Amino acid sequence: MAAATFSAAGRRLLSTAAAAAEKTELPVPIAQLRSLARAGRLADIDAALAPLVPSHAVAALSALSSVGLPDRASALLGTVPSPTAAHLNAVVGPLLRRRRLAALVPSILEAHASVPRDASTDSILAKSLCLTSGGADSALHLLREPPSGSPPSLQLFTALIDSFYKQRLPHRAEELWRAMVDDHGIAPDAAAYNARITYKSANGTVDEVRELIRAMREEAGLEPDAITYNALMRAMARHGRVDEAVEVYRGVEAGEVAGVAPDCATYTCVVGALCGAWRWSEAENVFYEGVKRKKVADLGTVRALVRGLKNAGKGRAARRVVIGLRKKFPVQFDGPWRELEEAAGLAASGKEEDGEEDGAEEHLSTATAAA
């Protein structure tokens, strides 16, 4: 099996890596496998996974694709006795996170034509075509002939509706929504509503987002989730209503919404909104609340926080942010994330860093104790 080629631009962001590490079913952390893949130590990956494949085949397949080794995942799938749709989906699903790899989905499905498909497989194929072949129109044929052989599913419709929204073609998305509900009798779920809500959060008003959330609750009987609340906060931030966004965040952070907790996107939104309002100390505090949960805002947002703190005369706080990340996520703090050291005025190592270590740890411990 050939080795995959990695570049700094292609590496997973720290926030995503931290979330994936929490969700993996493998005894071997996904972050460790990613580190081995970046170093080209493919034999070590094979050795780590080989004894786990009999009992953790789906997780092993997913891990290989997640670290950018779809060729090895595909080869391993070929050795699984009586593979199921879950095995196939574990290979192709993670490829959607990178456009370059998403283009491989059709060929991998073709290479394993005898493996059963299900509604998730149809949806994964649709998303890959939408990402790499010119949008939702390239995948509409799947509604007529889903590869699984089953009738078009809610997942498939949602993938196409979401793609039309991302193409800024809301009229096409709404046409498909009506076809799903009226012609096929499929009731939308929270994911379908979130596609609508997310579009409005970037292109509509706060009141329009609130109205969709009301319809989601009262007309469909569905409860908003983290994606819903993130969209509401983004709409508020986009319209300069930062205090309202922070108020929504505080309710989610305090557990006032049953079953909903902040995720990486939450911290990206709230920290970014506070940075945009030059509220650096508040942004720093929210950032640490995320680190406490092992949820980190994306690189661009953390870069804005570090530079903003430094420019506001809070150089020690800026360095503390970077040192805190480096201490809490030593494996993932690599590639593009290294530029934060320069932005904060830190060398890769040295007395300046050592002098700040205790302060970083103290701040993280204080944030944890205050929770």
Side-chain angles (χ1 to χ4, degrees):
M1 293 175 284
T5 301
F6 288 84
S7 66
R11 294 175 185 169
R12 301 282 301 282
L13 292 179
L14 176 63
S15 54
T16 309
E22 291 180 334
K23 294 179 181 178
T24 183
E25 300 173 9
L26 285 173
V28 180
I30 193 77
Q32 179 180 337
L33 296 177
R34 184 170 292 109
S35 179
L36 291 172
R38 284 201 298 263
R41 295 168 57 184
L42 304 183
D44 290 339
I45 292 176
D46 291 342
L49 292 181
L52 305 174
V53 170
S55 57
H56 297 80
V58 171
L61 291 166
S62 178
L64 284 170
S65 283
S66 294
V67 301
L69 298 173
D71 50 349
R72 302 181 90 79
S74 180
L76 179 59
L77 176 60
T79 70
V80 175
S82 304
T84 66
H87 293 96
L88 182 60
N89 296 339
V91 174
V92 294
L95 303 182
L96 298 176
R97 296 166 185 160
R98 308 181 196 177
R99 187 182 298 269
R100 173 178 60 84
L101 296 182
L104 300 177
V105 170
S107 61
I108 291 176
L109 292 178
E110 184 178 353
H112 299 280
S114 62
V115 179
R117 272 77 164 144
D118 62 10
S120 293
T121 319
D122 296 339
S123 174
I124 292 168
L125 176 58
K127 289 177 182 177
S128 75
L129 293 174
C130 291
L131 283 169
T132 62
S133 301
D137 282 316
S138 65
L140 284 177
H141 67 279
L142 298 178
L143 291 174
R144 297 187 297 272
E145 298 180 4
S148 66
S150 303
S153 67
L154 172 59
Q155 288 175 282
L156 178 55
F157 269 106
T158 300
L160 296 171
I161 289 169
D162 182 58
S163 180
F164 276 129
Y165 276 128
K166 288 176 178 174
Q167 291 176 254
R168 296 183 181 274
L169 297 172
H171 61 290
R172 298 288 303 279
E174 291 300 318
E175 287 174 1
L176 203 53
W177 182 286
R178 289 191 291 272
M180 175 180 72
V181 175
D182 298 337
D183 299 342
H184 293 266
I186 297 174
D189 62 0
Y193 268 96
N194 281 336
R196 271 179 156 180
I197 291 167
T198 298
Y199 172 77
K200 281 296 182 183
S201 74
N203 300 278
T205 67
V206 174
D207 288 342
E208 287 176 319
V209 172
R210 287 191 182 278
E211 173 57 24
L212 285 173
I213 295 175
R214 183 205 62 76
M216 180 181 182
R217 278 196 172 111
E218 298 178 10
E219 298 176 14
L222 300 167
E223 286 301 317
D225 57 17
I227 295 173
T228 315
Y229 285 103
N230 290 343
L232 176 59
M233 286 183 279
R234 281 196 298 272
M236 291 170 169
R238 189 169 64 86
H239 288 281
R241 295 160 65 168
V242 179
D243 287 337
E244 293 178 60
V246 172
E247 183 179 358
V248 173
Y249 162 71
R250 288 298 171 199
V252 173
E253 170 72 16
E256 295 175 4
V257 185
V260 179
D263 59 15
C264 295
T266 307
Y267 293 103
T268 295
C269 172
V270 179
V271 174
L274 290 167
C275 286
W278 294 11
R279 292 158 63 167
W280 305 114
S281 295
E282 292 175 75
E284 183 191 10
N285 289 336
V286 173
F287 165 81
Y288 281 113
E289 289 168 3
V291 171
K292 176 187 63 182
R293 290 177 176 266
K294 295 185 179 180
K295 306 294 183 185
V296 183
D298 66 21
L299 176 58
T301 302
V302 179
R303 185 192 298 116
L305 173 61
V306 169
R307 289 177 176 171
L309 287 168
K310 186 177 180 183
N311 292 338
K314 300 176 181 291
R316 180 180 176 85
R319 293 190 294 273
R320 188 168 57 206
V321 166
V322 178
I323 292 168
L325 284 176
R326 197 161 58 191
K327 287 171 67 69
K328 292 294 181 180
F329 306 98
V331 175
Q332 295 89 359
F333 194 86
D334 197 1
W337 287 85
R338 286 287 182 184
E339 71 182 62
L340 293 177
E341 295 171 327
E342 181 178 353
L346 280 169
S349 62
K351 292 184 178 180
E352 183 178 14
E353 172 190 332
D354 294 338
E356 297 287 345
E357 292 269 356
D358 293 339
E361 188 64 37
E362 179 183 355
H363 193 110
L364 289 166
S365 299
T366 302
T368 302

